[in-house]
Amino acid sequence: MGPQVIEIKDLYKSFGNNHVLNGFNLTLMEGENLVVMGKSGSGKSVMIKCLVGLVKPDSGTVKILGKEINELDQKPLDELRSDIGFLFQGSALYDSMTVRENLEFPMRRHKERLGVVNDTEPLVREALESVGLAKAIDLMPVELSGGMKRRVALARTLILKPKVILYDEPTSGLDPITSKEIIELMRSIQKKYGTSSLIITHDVDCARVISERMILLVDGINYAEGSFEELSRATDPKIEAFFKK
């Protein structure tokens, strides 16, 4: 496994009297699949927002690809964000655009970096082929199932060739069979593109299949860390609570 691509140290964030993060730590290594599990309201989404500079922590440091997020001006922060892919919970496709236009949209600002002068078609088709949806290129989002929307959103993430992908509840709202397909797709993408993945989930099945390492977020800290097997055998009630069906 390669060097660190993300390092979070002693992250604190409160909203009034609500202490959400209380000294949270995390490292993601190059090429790794790291799962962070936490109950609703445990601070998972706040942690992700701190990670990409959307929320400023009260204290602590966040480094991505060796750069301290909170020290960057807007332009270098935007450049760094182009190395980070996001798969949001609700897929977040633009309803008024075709699948093709949804994939072309993030490329507009990054054509130079991607070496694209005029024709975006090859990159769009390659990304859609990676998620098994080349035939859907001219469909509208309303014509897609929930699983297909998630696949298109993943293709849109891949099109910028990110070094790190952040998955926010990638299987939420999907039926078990579609969830399994999305998880397998995430694994194949990691193998094909060599991405480093941080997966935020409360889906135990997703964590079991995808994780190489897990962090359990409890009371605003990384309460426990280890492989799925190690953590699922733990006798600590706070850890056991994650694995009870």
Side-chain angles (χ1 to χ4, degrees), residues 39-104:
K39 302 292 183 195
S40 291
S42 62
K44 303 189 301 289
S45 60
V46 173
M47 182 269 289
I48 274 201
K49 285 172 182 169
C50 289
L51 193 57
V52 295
L54 293 174
V55 165
K56 205 165 176 56
D58 299 331
S59 63
T61 57
V62 178
K63 281 186 182 175
I64 299 183
L65 302 171
K67 292 171 183 167
E68 167 64 67
I69 288 286
N70 296 311
E71 291 175 358
L72 295 179
D73 293 330
Q74 196 59 47
K75 191 168 185 292
L77 181 60
D78 286 342
E79 283 170 6
L80 181 60
R81 281 176 180 157
S82 72
D83 283 324
I84 306 165
F86 302 93
L87 188 71
F88 293 112
Q89 205 167 330
S91 301
L93 299 177
Y94 298 106
D95 290 335
S96 59
M97 294 182 180
T98 63
V99 166
R100 180 198 304 269
E101 289 164 341
N102 263 284
L103 266 70
E104 285 172 343

Side-chain angles (χ1 to χ4, degrees), residues 131-241:
V131 300
L133 273 185
K135 289 178 182 172
I137 191 164
D138 291 314
L139 296 180
M140 300 296 288
V142 72
E143 299 175 270
L144 307 175
S145 67
M148 289 168 80
K149 283 180 183 172
R150 205 67 52 96
R151 283 170 178 264
V152 170
L154 193 44
R156 187 177 62 185
T157 297
L158 290 173
I159 209 155
L160 293 182
K161 307 274 196 274
K163 293 172 182 164
V164 182
I165 299 183
L166 306 179
Y167 294 93
D168 183 14
E169 301 285 2
T171 57
S172 72
L174 301 177
D175 63 80
I177 292 169
T178 308
S179 291
K180 198 174 173 192
E181 288 172 357
I182 294 295
I183 292 164
E184 289 303 325
L185 189 57
M186 288 161 65
R187 288 179 68 171
S188 71
I189 280 163
Q190 186 210 16
K191 286 194 181 83
K192 181 177 177 181
Y193 291 95
T195 51
S196 314
S197 306
L198 180 62
I199 301 119
I200 309 294
T201 188
H202 63 266
D203 180 343
V204 176
D205 291 327
C206 176
R208 180 174 54 240
V209 176
I210 203 84
S211 67
E212 291 160 356
R213 187 163 56 93
M214 288 178 66
I215 289 175
L216 302 185
L217 175 52
V218 181
D219 301 328
I221 60 165
N222 39 317
Y223 186 80
E225 201 167 317
S227 69
F228 184 92
E229 287 71 26
E230 288 164 350
L231 295 178
S232 63
R233 289 198 304 266
T235 53
D236 180 324
K238 285 188 177 180
I239 299 174
E240 278 185 316

